[in-house]
Amino acid sequence: MGKLNDNKLQELLAAHKKGIVVGLKGVSDVPVVPRRDIDVLLKDQPQTFNLFIIALYELQQNKAIDDKYVNLKDSTDDPRMTYFQIAGIHGAPKTQWDNMGRKQNWHDRSISGYCAHSQVTFPTWHRPYLAMLEQSLFLKMVEIAKRYNPTDRAVYLDKVTEFRLPFWDYYRPRGGPVTFPGVIDEGKTSFPYDYRLPKIFTEKNLFARLYPDNTLKPLPRNPFQYYKFVDEDSRQIEWKKFANFPPDKTTRYYTGYREDVDTMNNLLNEFRMDSNRFALTMLGDAIYNPFEAFSYNGSDRRKPFQTQKEQMLKANGNLESLHGLYHGLVGGFFDGVVGHMTAVPVAAFDPVFWAHHGQVERIFALWQATHKGKQGEWFSDPTEAEKPLLPFRIQNQANDKTRCWKSNESKSTDDFGYTYDEVKAGGNVLDTIRKLYEWSVPLANAGKWGEIPAELKKALDLKGSEFFEKPKQPSGGTSARVASDPPAALQKLEAFVQPQQQGGFAPAQEQQGDFAQSGFVPPQQQVLSHTAEEDFSREWYIDDKVERLALNGAFSIFYFVKDNNDPPGEKWLQDPSLAGITHIFAAPVEHCDNCGVQDEQSHVVTNTVPITSLLLDYVTIGQLESLRPEHVKPFLTRGLKWRVISPQTGTRDPRQLAANKNFRVNVSCKVARLPRDSGDVTYEKYPEIVQDILAQASASPTA
């Protein structure tokens, strides 16, 4: 792609060794390079990915794969920039990162994390955070490239310029077809494409072409599957504070003896469609023009909770709540079936954290592109945009090592040296995104899909990749062979698809009311003047709000549309009537200054759970006549239930949270004229559904 700029590279290395986040702009003659999905990087840029694999392994283990290369004079290693130290910025251990900031918790009892969750700086804080790991990996990749023999070294030094930290696109298929719990076919639902976690994160064995002779060999372990703690690092973390987390390596859906990858992948498939709908809404809807409406899940701290009726007129869903859901989907939700991604203090140690936050960052960048020039596109309070994003140092002429990045300075991805293909292409970014993803989110028929775009077929099948299986032919050379899409496999997938006419995605509009329990009476619902109901799409949501620190740590709210009296665990996750989950991603106040302050302020977070896809399934099997209110309202009144659970404390009575922790639930519906851009959108609320459910509730600790 380009040639390394030696001067810029030396400047980057010098800054890196001072703990300064610079980014990768200008390190080659192509100053800004797209970040790509991790499977696309693996398949289309195998030499670059080869360096990435080795660099991640060595950064995690603080040593070279080959002992002959330990403690070299030109090493890029810095004790502040190890994988453990960078991941630890997110929470544990209870130590300051290079003496940056006070990092005392709110009662001065101990050192805590630099948590920026449920703050308006949530997306801007994570931007330099990802850039810190990105530059650490890049420098390590350059160092590794120089260890190869001269011929291969030249190729690898050229290919390293193509690297930017990859993301995990939740909405890119990874194969297919797939079957998971649902209601269509006797407790199962099928889809022509599989949206499981990318293969690189679940394979036990991984191969790479190692220096110096570029020979394909197995790695000691797959550094994407888990992070193995160095003993002296692990001893710095108070593991007794976290539920059933092994102290030697990161896990996902850990049952005490194995990881339940199948359940995790089932849930990723089950919730993908509605998650996709909601992401498209955030990118295309005017209600998300204001930065604060899009960026984080918190209410306005400058106003006491009791006067926050304005909050209920905002969008309930947001980027941070979407992000929290995927922390739970990958980590787990229950005591005994939980992984590191579930808990704020240790989440960043899991290698998938960085690809997950890469996708969150990508949605942020796409939102910036689709809402550019709109009213409220940046901080409404200029002082918030000027607050330092601790502990991320920024280059400055005064050489002040306490000077950190600010949100105003991290506004542009170009300043860090990366972009995204959809932005780089120019034109109407929203149209580009819709063409990529709308095909898989039908509005009216659960069994009709559009045609998958060619871009999403790129890495649909990784079978034959030498990173996963050693080829029989002799290895050597820098080809890093990756097989092309097998035509037969693609034909089988495409035959499974039933294309539909593209009706478009129906965006949302400003909410017209408040939760029933808050005392706010919604205005009269707008009456649709058009008589042909088929010309409208309807999308249904469960909205909730609750104090973020209600249970002093992470917890989840499960929503079912049928009675569920099973004890918490695997049966909850396999219940076909599971409509959605809100995952409150929080840390115990003992571990987080920000969380302690929010606890004292009774800080409330808002979330939205899309349930349209499950309702469409019930329409398909004849148990729900249509998505019109006269049919959905009695259906939900009869069946909607919610359960609250924490990995630390188990199930909790939702009514206690309602009485003491400001927990509220509401049902809403978006109505849009079809085709998508042919008219206004209304947003209806139906407080009577929840009122009737609560009136009929039993004395048991459920809804």
Side-chain angles (χ1 to χ4, degrees), residues 254-259:
Y254 185 61
T255 64
Y257 63 95
R258 69 178 183 89
E259 291 184 333

Side-chain angles (χ1 to χ4, degrees), residues 255-528:
T255 64
Y257 63 95
R258 69 178 183 89
E259 291 184 333
D260 190 354
V261 176
D262 290 341
T263 295
M264 176 185 65
N265 284 331
N266 280 340
L267 287 173
L268 290 173
N269 276 289
E270 192 171 348
F271 295 130
R272 188 276 315 168
M273 190 180 296
D274 279 327
S275 170
N276 195 343
R277 293 178 196 276
F278 179 62
L280 288 167
T281 294
M282 288 194 294
L283 296 179
D285 188 4
I287 195 175
Y288 288 102
N289 285 348
F291 178 71
E292 283 85 352
F294 162 79
S295 61
Y296 78 124
N297 62 11
S299 55
D300 193 339
R301 288 191 186 186
R302 295 169 296 176
K303 300 177 183 178
F305 170 75
Q306 290 78 6
T307 65
Q308 286 174 2
K309 286 185 178 179
E310 299 95 332
Q311 177 66 33
M312 296 301 100
L313 298 176
K314 294 181 179 180
N316 286 315
N318 46 74
L319 178 67
E320 187 173 4
S321 63
L322 177 67
H323 136 274
L325 172 65
Y326 277 85
H327 269 284
L329 292 176
V330 173
F333 299 99
F334 308 115
D335 180 15
V337 189
V338 73
H340 292 69
M341 275 281 282
T342 300
V344 172
V346 294
F349 292 109
D350 188 333
V352 79
F353 171 94
W354 303 97
H356 160 54
H357 268 276
Q359 172 74 344
V360 174
E361 157 61 21
R362 175 176 176 246
I363 295 173
F364 175 32
L366 293 175
W367 175 89
Q368 288 183 290
T370 59
H371 292 262
K372 186 176 182 180
K374 304 292 178 62
Q375 184 177 359
E377 66 170 317
W378 202 234
F379 290 74
S380 61
D381 183 352
T383 62
E384 291 285 345
E386 283 295 305
K387 288 183 177 179
L389 303 174
L390 285 167
F392 308 118
R393 292 189 179 117
I394 191 172
Q395 195 94 305
N396 62 94
Q397 292 183 346
N399 291 319
D400 180 0
K401 70 176 186 178
T402 65
R403 172 80 163 82
C404 289
W405 284 85
K406 302 173 182 177
S407 295
N408 279 335
E409 293 164 330
S410 66
K411 187 175 183 180
S412 172
T413 64
D414 284 4
D415 291 339
F416 292 93
Y418 69 91
T419 184
Y420 296 94
D421 286 323
E422 298 84 4
V423 177
K424 182 182 178 183
N428 190 316
V429 176
L430 183 58
D431 281 351
T432 301
I433 294 300
R434 283 171 167 167
K435 289 175 183 176
L436 273 179
Y437 300 116
E438 281 187 344
W439 67 277
S440 64
V441 284
L443 294 173
N445 189 316
K448 297 291 185 180
W449 326 111
E451 184 176 353
I452 183 171
E455 167 61 27
L456 296 185
K457 292 182 181 180
K458 272 187 175 181
L460 193 58
D461 194 329
L462 300 178
K463 185 177 181 181
S465 167
E466 68 178 7
F467 295 122
F468 300 119
E469 51 190 74
K470 192 172 181 179
K472 296 180 180 180
Q473 62 267 33
S475 59
T478 55
S479 62
R481 177 184 60 83
V482 178
S484 59
D485 290 324
L490 280 180
Q491 289 172 7
K492 183 180 293 185
L493 286 173
E494 290 166 352
F496 194 87
V497 180
Q498 303 173 38
Q500 66 170 4
Q501 294 296 319
Q502 295 294 309
F505 185 82
Q509 150 196 322
E510 296 210 26
Q511 298 180 10
Q512 301 294 325
D514 192 3
F515 293 133
Q517 297 92 329
S518 69
F520 179 80
V521 180
Q524 182 68 31
Q525 304 291 356
Q526 178 176 337
V527 178
L528 300 175

Side-chain angles (χ1 to χ4, degrees), residues 668-690:
S668 59
C669 178
K670 300 174 187 175
V671 186
R673 195 183 298 276
L674 295 175
R676 177 185 59 235
D677 298 321
S678 63
D680 293 334
V681 176
T682 61
Y683 195 100
E684 304 171 349
K685 282 185 175 290
Y686 295 94
E688 62 271 24
I689 295 176
V690 174

Side-chain angles (χ1 to χ4, degrees), residues 495-569:
F496 194 87
V497 180
Q498 303 173 38
Q500 66 170 4
Q501 294 296 319
Q502 295 294 309
F505 185 82
Q509 150 196 322
E510 296 210 26
Q511 298 180 10
Q512 301 294 325
D514 192 3
F515 293 133
Q517 297 92 329
S518 69
F520 179 80
V521 180
Q524 182 68 31
Q525 304 291 356
Q526 178 176 337
V527 178
L528 300 175
S529 59
H530 194 69
T531 57
E533 179 69 24
E534 291 75 14
D535 288 350
F536 293 90
S537 70
R538 291 185 176 273
E539 297 181 43
W540 288 86
Y541 295 87
I542 300 169
D543 306 317
D544 60 49
K545 68 175 185 177
V546 67
E547 291 182 23
R548 181 170 180 253
L549 275 299
L551 299 183
N552 193 28
F555 64 97
S556 304
I557 306 164
F558 280 67
Y559 293 98
F560 302 90
V561 295
K562 297 283 186 180
D563 283 330
N564 182 306
N565 297 314
D566 291 320

